[in-house]
Amino acid sequence: MTPTAEGAALPPIPDKRYFSIGEASDLCRVKSHVLRYWEQEFTQLKPVKRRGNRRYYQQHDIQIARDIRNLLYDQGFTIQGARQQLDGKGRTLASLGERGAADSLASVRKELESIAQSLAS
C-alpha cells in the first residue's frame, strides 16, 4: 500500500464534540497506545481528561493526530522532525489569531468540499 493510498483511506471526522480514545484511534488508523505515546511526545496533542483519567478527543485533537500520523508514516519524519514541523505549523496558525485561523481553516474546508462535489458529479 502506498502512503498516498493510506492517507486517502482516513475516514471523515464526524461532526461531534468529543471522541473516546477508541473512536480517535479508528479515525486516525492507529492503535490507542500510539495515541497515548504521541500525547507524551507532542505538546500539541492534549485531549480533555475527565473522570477516571478517561481521554476525550475533540475534532482539533483528531486533526493534530492525523497530522502527526502523516508526518511520521507517510512523509517519513522522525519524532523530533515531526515535532519541529508541528511547531512551525502552530506558529503560522497562531500568528493569524484565533479568528483568522478559524476563518482560514473554514475557507479551506469549503474549497475542499466544492472540489469533492465537482469530482462526484
Side-chain angles (χ1 to χ4, degrees), residues 21-90:
I21 192 166
E23 292 171 321
S25 70
D26 289 343
L27 290 169
C28 297
R29 297 280 193 253
V30 295
K31 298 198 181 227
S32 303
H33 69 272
V34 173
L35 286 175
R36 289 191 293 271
Y37 175 71
W38 287 351
E39 288 173 32
Q40 296 171 356
E41 295 296 323
F42 298 93
T43 57
Q44 298 89 343
L45 188 58
K46 290 260 187 230
V48 177
K49 289 189 182 176
R50 298 262 168 95
R51 214 171 352 124
N53 242 3
R54 292 181 61 115
R55 291 165 170 82
Y56 291 98
Y57 291 82
Q58 296 179 31
Q59 288 185 357
H60 68 273
D61 294 316
I62 303 291
Q63 189 57 54
I64 289 170
R66 285 179 167 198
D67 289 346
I68 293 169
R69 181 190 188 286
N70 177 42
L71 290 169
L72 295 175
Y73 296 172
D74 297 339
Q75 295 184 34
F77 280 90
T78 62
I79 295 281
Q80 182 64 31
R83 197 179 297 131
Q84 290 172 350
Q85 288 291 315
L86 285 179
D87 285 345
K89 182 177 180 181

Side-chain angles (χ1 to χ4, degrees), residues 83-100:
R83 197 179 297 131
Q84 290 172 350
Q85 288 291 315
L86 285 179
D87 285 345
K89 182 177 180 181
R91 278 195 294 276
T92 303
L93 289 176
S95 68
L96 292 173
E98 188 175 321
R99 189 69 201 146

Side-chain angles (χ1 to χ4, degrees), residues 109-119:
R109 184 177 189 161
K110 278 185 183 179
E111 187 174 340
L112 289 173
E113 286 171 349
S114 71
I115 292 170
Q117 275 184 337
S118 67
L119 290 175

